[in-house]
């Protein structure tokens, strides 16, 4: 199997639907993934933070991955999250993702221990790369210190890039700190290291400094307009388009993001089952959801073709 | 199988030996567990923070658990860590622990998402209890906010105790904050809720306020003297004995705890293989280890019968 083209553009960390018994719902998952690819996403960062990926076992995630491919989602468009606290879990997930031809893997650092050294994190990523041992592997590092509490430093990226050029392919920066994204772009974008903003709020700035797109929660519900900023970033309309997607983001993030995304899909897709989240998350309060939906509606927000 | 007696006294969160290939070494693990039980530990909190438990897959931990029982370690003395980010993993591990007759399970909250609500954490623990559905289960909550970043509040304990009396059996408080341990003791010790200090530094204070012992990292290397404080807490010698174990603790915690414990076992057990840690941890620097060992030796520290 040859190495697919690198994924660029807008990726969604796909939210995971659960049944009443809290089991992952593969059918709804495949359907939402196809909707995203048909409506602006060029790639799917399944098993990300917004996917409640860490709330699922490795076996549950492998079953969903198989269901996606069996359901006709192209593996080359997939960038599954494969980083776990346990080295052995990271190897299992990454190996399978590479074997089935995924366009990349998005890897969290092990996140239980805090204050660990760059040397320890380097060893973690190096062990995964060496054990998977497949040159088709494309590793995107996942920097999300507000949640993981374990940062991916510039020094660590530099060391990994030097040791594993080609395999270490990029980063998702979910620090929420543009100065950090810019530092990553300035340092590595010219070395074939693809920097993705972790929020569409920074998409235009990221593109203007040599980045390759964004991997963003709200890509789950607003992929088309975000994709327009990606495609037209050099046009005269770019700032206006960016202002539009930023405004939508700001409405959504007034309430907890993951249940908000699920409530939006449930509402605009007319499919209440989507509201279910796994503990430790909880669904939105009724008044939170009503306020969110009302504000989105009055802003002109739409999800074309979502309702069955 | 009848419900075993409740574990009280000194428990060690047993460090996990790894081979050069980073695979768990069941033989060394069983040997160390037996040494601990013969030298002062009344229970073994295997798969804790100091065990690098979150650096292992569920399958690796289940194999070690089976090896312990097959190796003759009494299940009633075991309080394995079974709390994971993924509800499904917590259920799998807890179910097995209860089935084989473990004295209890020590459960972390799901620790990936930060700032989650007590309602979400309640649902997590309740789901595990309901799904395991076995009245022999004894759940000890694991409060370790410096690492997990997700606290177990007094309000959450109260709610769980009310809904699942008998099953919710106690807590390990690794906050490092005596006022929090005391608040737990004051609120719940009289309700049959067993409070364990997360460090032997607080053992005597914990016993004086109605606690049941401690579950402590340094129990891996200094179980005998810690057990003496537990057994003699009402004696005139208690404060002197406590000062001794506190002094040893302070020597060990000058350097990173987990590699320090492994270096001590490697040195005093004459078994260099013990030094291996899994990424993201790293072994001690040579000068750190030399300083640690020298200081322990000059303090009179011993590990009787450890060397083969």
């Amino acid at each position: 199997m040859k190495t697919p083209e690198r994924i660029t553009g807008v990726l969604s960390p796909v939210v995971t639907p659960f049944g009443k018994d809290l089991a992952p719902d593969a059918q709804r998952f495949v359907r939402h993934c196809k909707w995203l690819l048909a409506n602006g996403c060029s790639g799917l960062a399944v098993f990300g933070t917004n996917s409640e990926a860490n709330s699922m076992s490795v076996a549950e995630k492998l079953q969903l991955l198989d269901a996606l491919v069996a359901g006709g989602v192209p593996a080359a468009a997939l960038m599954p999250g494969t980083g776990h606290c346990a080295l052995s879990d990271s190897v299992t997930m990454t190996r399978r993702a590479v074997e089935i031809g995924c366009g990349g893997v998005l890897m969290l650092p092990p996140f239980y221990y805090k204050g660990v050294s760059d040397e320890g994190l380097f060893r973690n990523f190096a062990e995964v790369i060496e054990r998977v041992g497949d040159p088709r592997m494309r590793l995107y590092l996942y920097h999300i210190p507000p949640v993981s509490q374990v940062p991916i430093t510039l020094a660590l990226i530099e060391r990994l890039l030097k040791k594993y050029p080609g395999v270490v392919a990029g980063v998702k920066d979910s620090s929420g700190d543009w100065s950090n994204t810019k530092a990553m772009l300035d340092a590595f974008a010219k070395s074939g290291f693809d920097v993705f903003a972790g929020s569409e709020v920074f998409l235009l700035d990221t593109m203007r400094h040599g980045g390759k797109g964004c991997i963003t929660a709200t890509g789950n519900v607003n992929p088309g307009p975000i994709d327009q900023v990606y495609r037209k970033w050099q046009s005269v309309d770019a700032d206006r388009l960016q202002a539009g997607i930023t405004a939508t983001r700001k409405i959504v993030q007034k309430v907890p993001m993951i249940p908000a995304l699920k409530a939006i899909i449930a509402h605009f897709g007319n499919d209440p089952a989507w509201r279910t989240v796994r503990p430790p998350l909880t669904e939105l309060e009724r008044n939170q959801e009503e306020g969110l939906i009302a504000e989105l509606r009055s802003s002109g927000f739409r999800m074309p073709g979502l309702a069955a």
Side-chain angles (χ1 to χ4, degrees), chain A residues 105-290:
Chain A
V105 295
L106 184 57
M107 207 177 296
L108 276 170
F111 54 83
Y112 183 62
Y113 296 107
K114 311 304 187 291
V116 296
S117 64
D118 271 5
E119 170 65 22
L121 293 175
F122 176 83
R123 289 186 196 178
N124 170 76
F125 290 114
E127 282 289 341
V128 177
I129 294 168
E130 301 278 357
R131 283 166 193 245
V132 172
D134 190 320
R136 294 172 301 170
M137 177 176 170
R138 288 218 188 101
L139 169 60
Y140 295 84
L141 299 160
Y142 189 6
H143 178 61
I144 182 169
V147 184
S148 68
Q149 308 274 331
V150 178
I152 309 283
T153 65
L154 296 182
L156 176 61
I157 295 173
E158 187 169 9
R159 201 172 153 195
L160 284 165
L161 259 179
K162 191 171 175 183
K163 180 80 183 269
Y164 302 106
V167 169
V168 176
V171 71
K172 173 185 180 186
D173 183 7
S174 294
S175 64
D177 173 7
W178 165 248
S179 70
N180 187 69
T181 310
K182 185 162 182 306
M184 286 176 169
L185 286 160
D186 291 347
F188 306 118
K190 286 177 186 157
S191 324
F193 183 79
D194 296 344
V195 176
F196 291 86
S199 162
E200 74 273 30
V201 169
F202 304 112
L203 177 55
L204 186 54
D205 286 334
T206 298
M207 296 309 297
R208 284 174 175 164
H209 290 82
K212 295 301 171 82
C214 66
I215 304 174
T216 181
T218 32
N220 274 288
V221 296
N222 199 32
I226 302 173
D227 182 55
Q228 286 300 303
V229 175
Y230 171 72
R231 296 194 181 280
K232 298 183 181 169
W233 71 271
Q234 289 170 301
S235 79
V236 291
D237 270 351
D239 286 288
R240 186 184 57 81
L241 293 169
Q242 176 67 55
I245 63 173
T246 296
T248 301
R249 170 88 183 196
K250 288 192 172 167
I251 295 171
V252 179
Q253 70 187 19
K254 284 180 186 173
V255 290
M257 179 60 80
I258 299 168
L261 297 172
K262 289 186 152 183
I264 295 168
I265 296 168
H267 178 85
F268 288 91
N270 195 22
D271 188 2
W274 264 104
R275 286 189 182 86
T276 306
V277 292
R278 264 195 179 184
L281 302 187
T282 53
E283 64 282 3
L284 294 188
E285 305 284 343
R286 179 182 287 262
N287 65 332
Q288 288 178 315
E289 178 170 332
E290 287 174 353

Side-chain angles (χ1 to χ4, degrees), chain A residues 58 82-93 109-112 124 128:
Chain A
V58 169
T82 64
H84 295 77
C85 291
L87 175 65
S88 30
D89 287 338
S90 300
V91 171
T92 300
M93 282 287 297
F111 54 83
Y112 183 62
N124 170 76
V128 177

